[in-house]
Amino acid sequence: MFGFGKRETTSGPSLAAMGIVERSAAGAYAALIAGGWSEIGFGYHGTVHAHPDHPDVVVRFARKADGFGDYAALLRKGFAGSDGPHAPRIHDIHVSRCGALMTVGSRLTDPARDAWWLAYAHAVIADHPGVAMDDGVRDRFKVEWPAHEPRVDHASFDGIREAFRTAWPGYEAYVAGLRAVSPQGLDPNIGNVLVGDDGSPVVNDPLCDDGHGLWRSPLSRALARYADLLRRRLSDASGRAPVPA
């Protein structure tokens, strides 16, 4: 299991092997840039970095351990389809004592905005198969993928569903397996489906940013919950204390 501040590696490049030693929230970003790891993407908490000497991987850095850490932990633990073409490869993960998260993963590419399958790949993440999309998700699809506007009805997709299932028969099963082990609902954000080196759709970062600490050991998670409870009780107690006149 992952321990807080510990690192576990699988086969593939590790942070240490690539000479990345600064992993703190305060200094890691600047160290990555100084080491030639240019920023190629960013999110609420994290940035993604690439290096010309390591073209097949990216390093993701976040100042706080977030939902991607949970996703990485679920992938490392394993579930149905997590070793297949629709899951990113996580080669290394490290959570510093101050809570910064760094991972080494396979490099993925952005799909073409007019890819015939893109809206459906997101719809599978947004909804259970066969359930109509919520209006907010439907409106977002219409804005982001106007070419697919007539096809965002999850029940039909004008034949796209059938063609997609023929091309990638394991994708919906992978998303279902992920949904079954996820501690929260899946996020159908625009950047959460990318393309692997074999051309298959890959579910990239489908958990929300409020990390649940799945990278920690069960004991570490229990201690963290106890510490949070203790802090809340102390805060409540201080809030109820008489205010000096």
Side-chain angles (χ1 to χ4, degrees):
M1 295 297 294
F2 298 111
F4 200 66
K6 303 292 185 182
R7 185 187 72 236
E8 180 180 326
T9 46
T10 58
S11 60
S14 66
L15 291 163
M18 294 185 295
I20 299 172
V21 295
E22 176 56 68
R23 301 166 193 181
S24 70
Y29 179 84
L32 284 168
I33 297 299
W37 289 89
S38 58
E39 181 182 321
I40 61 170
F42 65 92
Y44 288 116
H45 301 301
T47 51
V48 179
H49 300 262
H51 196 289
D53 293 342
H54 307 282
D56 297 328
V57 299
V58 292
V59 171
R60 184 182 184 275
F61 164 69
R63 294 183 180 278
K64 58 172 284 188
D66 55 9
F68 190 81
D70 287 333
Y71 188 39
L74 291 174
L75 290 168
R76 298 291 293 276
K77 183 178 180 181
F79 57 90
S82 60
D83 58 348
H86 306 299
R89 296 290 171 265
I90 305 299
H91 303 300
D92 196 3
I93 179 172
H94 183 274
V95 183
S96 72
R97 294 190 180 279
C98 57
L101 170 71
M102 294 186 77
T103 54
V104 181
S106 53
R107 185 162 186 174
L108 305 169
T109 57
D110 290 324
R113 298 288 295 197
D114 60 351
W116 64 269
W117 51 265
L118 187 57
Y120 185 74
H122 279 270
V124 173
I125 298 174
D127 295 289
H128 292 279
V131 177
M133 277 191 237
D134 136 310
D135 286 342
V137 173
R138 184 185 299 275
D139 290 343
R140 188 192 316 177
F141 276 32
K142 290 179 180 180
V143 170
E144 293 295 332
W145 296 295
H148 294 283
E149 191 275 333
R151 301 168 174 163
V152 295
D153 180 354
H154 198 142
S156 66
F157 264 83
D158 293 351
I160 287 181
R161 176 180 60 186
E162 289 70 24
F164 185 93
R165 287 174 172 174
T166 299
W168 296 288
Y171 180 86
E172 291 184 52
Y174 172 74
V175 174
L178 172 60
R179 184 175 281 114
V181 299
S182 171
Q184 57 197 350
L186 303 185
D187 177 13
N189 241 346
I190 305 310
N192 289 352
V193 177
L194 299 180
V195 178
D197 57 8
D198 62 352
S200 61
V202 176
V203 181
N204 176 52
D205 185 9
L207 304 188
C208 297
D209 283 325
D210 51 336
H212 287 250
L214 302 184
W215 56 87
R216 302 177 181 180
S217 68
L219 175 60
S220 179
R221 289 202 301 275
L223 290 174
R225 286 195 297 270
Y226 176 77
D228 288 342
L229 178 61
L230 183 61
R231 277 194 295 269
R232 285 197 299 271
R233 287 184 174 178
L234 290 173
S235 176
D236 291 345
S238 64
R240 289 194 296 267
V243 178

